[in-house]
């Protein structure tokens, strides 16, 4: 793609500052994103985290870096409380469903991958599955155990006082944070966490392995340290996750990485494992529909069932900056769908009129420069969308090439969309699109000829099919389901 025009600046949660991206390996960008725990369907809030990571990856590609992106799948070790308490989410769901953990993991991993695909999230270079890395986890823990860990009856614990500046990423260990930490008898510091959890005597787990600290399972934080370091090598460029991870999961990963890397003492900046830590803010929904424990929660499939194309949700995410909270509402999603539909219609118009130019012709184009400036400013997608729509509004010279270049970053995939996909159509609606489209076309022709009797008759025929025509709709819908 176009050569880098503006320096890429990203907000580093570790320093709480915008920093210019400087790759560890020239020309390359190595990114690790904390992936899902596959004990249930992801909700759309979870998917915001992957849309964000995807936009980051696409931007790095746009800026000319060769991207290696890794996302993990957590199929063991994540407890019901991030602060190290409660039951393993996977074991709990398997018991509740009376299924094997492997079946649970496979089912929900596939469901997650389906959402990834539906949202145009690019495939990472590698999906790391936690249970494929157990040997490496035991090795990592063995390497740091003498200097940084201690054993209790329940497992091997990491002593956070053995590294410099524990919790720098979280900044303040809030009272609430402290209160959430479960007291395990014998822990030296409240924030110490298990890196290996022994199976309690008399119990068996579906997933357990032998280790120097007894039969059991790895801690969730250990998994991400190991998989990121194994595949990308410490230090790598960027580590991402949702903002909740800034408080416990990532500070714990960083502490382990400090212990493991410790080339320059235990200093955080030099040994956190990644140069930049980035966090997306939450999607929030006031009535609690995002909670996986609530009956009907907000999954991508629910959006589709109600007739909203998944990419309307992607656009809704892009309309907000990744570091601001985004409130979900059906009205907001509807507005994003309308905007996406307008973009698609504009794209189709351009596609029919623009002869098309090569990528080389657009280097230095002012619209592309504005787009680049927005994306380079900590991924300012709301501003980038305005440049995108400017090109779509065309025709300006090279509109189509510009739009294609920008869409490769935004990932809306306009060239694969058509207006039919973007019609609100709840699941189970039976409608013969071709009949509707030809009746609508016939009616438009009659109106043009001022043959109102025919036009009214056709409107009634459409109404009988459940279709309401929308003459002169300011948003550009030509009909909707009545
Ligand atoms: P989990 O499967 O619970 O580990 O979460 C997967 C990802 O989703 C993590 O990066 C979380 O930080 C992120 N996440 C969880 N809830 C939300 C939310 N409401 N909005 C945005 N990201 C979220
Ligand atoms: Zn993680």
């Amino acid at each position: 793609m176009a050569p880098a025009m503006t320096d890429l600046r990203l907000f580093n949660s570790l320093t709480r500052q915008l920093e210019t991206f400087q790759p560890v390996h020239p020309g390359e960008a190595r990114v690790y994103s904390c992936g899902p725990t596959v004990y249930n369907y992801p909700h759309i809030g979870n998917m915001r985290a992957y849309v964000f990571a995807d936009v980051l990856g696409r931007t790095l590609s746009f800026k000319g870096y060769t991207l290696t992106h890794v996302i993990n799948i957590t199929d063991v070790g994540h407890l019901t409380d991030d602060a190290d308490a409660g039951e393993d989410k996977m074991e709990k769901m398997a018991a509740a469903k009376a299924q094997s953990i492997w079946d649970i993991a496979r089912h929900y991993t596939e469901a997650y991958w389906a959402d990834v695909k539906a949202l145009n999230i690019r495939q990472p270079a590698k999906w790391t599955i936690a249970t494929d890395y157990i040997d490496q986890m035991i090795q990592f823990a063995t390497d740091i155990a003498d200097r940084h860990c201690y054993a209790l009856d329940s497992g091997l614990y990491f002593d956070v006082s053995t590294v410099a500046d524990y919790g720098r990423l979280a900044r303040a260990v809030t009272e609430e944070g402290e209160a959430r930490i479960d007291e395990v008898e014998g822990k030296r510091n409240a924030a110490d966490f298990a890196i290996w959890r022994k199976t309690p005597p008399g119990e068996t787990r579906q997933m357990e392995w032998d280790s120097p600290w007894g039969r059991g399972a790895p801690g969730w934080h250990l998994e991400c340290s190991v998989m990121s370091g194994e595949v990308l090598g410490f230090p790598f460029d960027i580590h991402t996750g949702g903002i909740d991870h800034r408080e416990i999961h990532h500070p714990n990963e960083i502490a382990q990485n400090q212990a493991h890397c410790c080339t320059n003492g235990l200093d955080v900046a030099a040994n956190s494992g990644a140069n930049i830590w980035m966090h997306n803010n939450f999607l929030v929904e006031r009535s609690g529909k995002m909670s996986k424990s609530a009956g009907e929660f907000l999954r991508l499939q629910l959006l589709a069932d109600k007739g909203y194309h998944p990419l309307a949700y992607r656009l809704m995410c892009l309309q907000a900056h990744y570091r601001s909270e985004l409130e979900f509402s059906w009205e907001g999603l509807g507005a994003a769908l309308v905007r996406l539909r307008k973009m698609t219609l504009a794209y189709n118009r351009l596609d029919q009129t623009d002869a098309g130019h090569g990528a080389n012709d657009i280097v230095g184009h002012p619209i592309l420069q504005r787009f680049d400036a927005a994306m380079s400013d900590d991924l300012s997608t709301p501003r980038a969308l305005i440049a995108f729509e400017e090109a779509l509004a065309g025709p300006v010279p090279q509109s189509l090439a510009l739009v294609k270049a920008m869409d490769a970053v935004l990932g809306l995939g306009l060239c694969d969309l058509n207006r039919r996909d973007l019609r609100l159509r709840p699941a189970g609606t039976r409608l013969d699109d071709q009949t509707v489209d030809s009746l609508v076309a016939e009616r438009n022709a009659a109106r043009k000829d001022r043959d109102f009797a025919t036009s009214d008759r056709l409107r009634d025929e459409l109404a009988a099919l459940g279709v309401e025509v929308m003459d002169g709709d300011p948003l550009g819908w030509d009909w909707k389901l009545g």
Side-chain angles (χ1 to χ4, degrees):
M1 209 12 272
M5 291 172 259
T6 312
D7 278 347
L8 176 60
R9 311 256 298 156
L10 299 171
F11 187 82
N12 188 353
S13 299
L14 203 52
T15 58
R16 298 290 200 272
Q17 276 175 356
L18 285 172
E19 292 176 8
T20 300
F21 178 69
Q22 283 169 323
V24 174
H25 305 272
E28 276 192 52
R30 302 188 184 183
V31 181
Y32 181 89
S33 299
C34 280
T37 304
V38 284
Y39 71 105
N40 204 336
Y41 296 106
H43 56 55
I44 56 173
N46 298 131
M47 297 314 294
R48 185 183 186 198
Y50 308 111
V51 169
F52 152 65
D54 180 56
V55 169
L56 171 66
R58 286 170 178 267
T59 303
L60 289 160
S61 302
F62 171 69
K63 302 296 273 183
Y65 298 104
T66 304
L67 175 71
T68 308
H69 190 190
V70 174
I71 307 180
N72 71 288
I73 302 285
T74 296
D75 55 355
V76 65
H78 192 170
L79 302 195
T80 46
D81 185 321
D82 285 359
D84 221 20
E87 299 164 74
D88 187 299
K89 290 184 177 184
M90 298 294 302
E91 295 267 349
K92 188 177 170 197
M93 184 55 109
K97 294 224 158 173
Q99 283 178 16
S100 88
I101 291 201
W102 304 100
D103 289 340
I104 296 278
R106 188 179 326 107
H107 177 76
Y108 292 114
T109 303
E110 278 166 12
Y112 164 69
W113 281 339
D115 286 1
V116 161
K117 185 158 185 266
L119 288 169
N120 280 354
I121 293 167
R122 294 196 303 188
Q123 287 288 318
K126 195 168 174 71
W127 297 101
T128 55
I129 315 283
T131 47
D132 289 344
Y133 289 81
I134 301 293
D135 289 346
Q136 293 91 323
M137 292 173 199
I138 292 172
Q139 188 57 51
F140 186 115
T142 305
D143 292 344
I144 64 172
D146 285 354
R147 292 177 60 205
H148 300 278
C149 306
Y150 56 94
L152 295 178
D153 286 346
S154 52
L156 186 71
Y157 283 78
F158 190 95
D159 180 342
V160 299
S161 70
T162 62
V163 292
D165 225 358
Y166 171 77
R168 156 95 75 94
L169 181 69
R171 286 294 157 89
V173 179
T174 58
E175 279 181 28
E176 189 201 354
E178 286 281 12
R180 289 178 59 215
I181 294 173
D182 190 50
E183 266 322 308
V184 173
E185 191 148 358
K187 257 164 71 162
R188 295 179 187 164
N189 312 284
D192 289 354
F193 55 91
I195 68 173
W196 187 266
R197 194 179 314 279
K198 265 163 69 173
T199 307
E203 279 182 32
T204 43
R205 298 173 46 109
Q206 285 195 44
M207 283 189 176
E208 52 179 9
W209 296 265
D210 286 323
S211 84
W213 318 283
R215 205 164 164 72
W220 174 45
H221 316 301
L222 178 65
E223 298 177 2
C224 282
S225 280
V226 169
M227 290 185 279
S228 60
E230 275 287 321
V231 181
L232 297 177
F234 289 135
F236 56 91
D237 296 299
I238 305 173
H239 195 309
T240 80
I243 196 149
D244 52 331
H245 289 350
R246 205 177 66 180
E247 307 309 315
I248 297 171
H249 181 46
H250 290 169
N252 290 351
E253 263 189 77
I254 288 175
Q256 294 166 154
N257 297 350
Q258 282 170 272
H260 197 260
C261 301
C262 71
T263 44
N264 302 316
L266 294 164
D267 179 53
V268 182
N271 297 294
S272 77
N275 283 349
I276 300 185
W277 291 75
M278 292 178 75
H279 297 96
N280 64 278
N281 212 321
F282 265 29
L283 180 79
V284 293
E285 208 276 329
R286 305 276 168 221
S287 69
K289 284 266 175 56
M290 210 99 75
S291 157
K292 296 186 189 183
S293 50
E296 183 194 51
F297 69 93
L298 273 171
R299 289 174 57 193
L300 202 61
Q301 186 59 49
L302 181 67
L303 272 47
D305 289 348
K306 289 188 188 277
Y308 296 89
H309 194 281
L311 292 174
Y313 176 64
R314 181 176 176 109
L315 179 56
M316 189 180 179
C317 291
L318 299 179
Q319 290 180 160
H321 190 262
Y322 76 89
R323 280 197 287 130
S324 24
E325 214 174 59
L326 171 61
E327 182 172 357
F328 178 79
S329 70
W330 293 104
E331 293 73 27
L333 184 65
L337 180 66
V338 167
R339 191 176 183 187
L340 181 61
R341 184 164 173 280
K342 285 190 168 177
M343 289 174 171
T344 305
L345 296 180
Y347 180 87
N348 292 341
R349 263 196 309 274
L350 279 184
D351 201 21
Q352 282 155 19
T353 54
D354 194 303
H357 295 261
N360 287 339
D361 300 335
I362 58 171
V363 174
H365 194 292
I367 293 183
L368 192 65
Q369 278 179 342
R370 279 198 287 284
F371 179 85
D372 178 45
M375 292 310 294
S376 302
D377 180 14
D378 195 27
L379 314 180
S380 185
T381 49
R383 273 168 48 212
L385 283 169
I386 293 169
F388 186 55
E389 282 170 325
E390 237 180 290
L392 275 170
V396 295
Q398 296 108 22
S399 291
L400 195 61
L402 280 171
V403 166
K404 284 183 175 166
M406 293 186 259
D407 198 10
V409 183
L410 298 168
L412 292 169
L414 296 190
C415 60
D416 295 325
L417 284 174
N418 69 57
R419 53 198 300 169
R420 256 185 213 164
D421 299 335
L422 298 169
R423 196 162 272 149
L424 256 185
R425 176 187 316 221
T429 312
R430 301 176 81 90
L431 204 63
D432 173 358
D433 273 297
Q434 262 169 359
T435 307
V436 173
D437 283 345
S438 70
L439 286 173
V440 168
E442 232 183 288
R443 180 167 173 274
N444 287 343
R447 270 161 56 87
K448 213 167 154 206
D449 295 345
R450 308 188 65 76
D451 175 0
F452 297 114
T454 306
S455 132
D456 286 354
R457 179 179 54 75
L458 289 164
R459 188 192 55 211
D460 294 344
E461 256 181 63
L462 283 158
L465 293 173
V467 169
E468 185 187 323
V469 288
M470 299 169 78
D471 298 329
D473 177 55
L475 299 180
W477 298 103
D478 41 14
W479 58 267
K480 70 175 181 187
L481 293 167

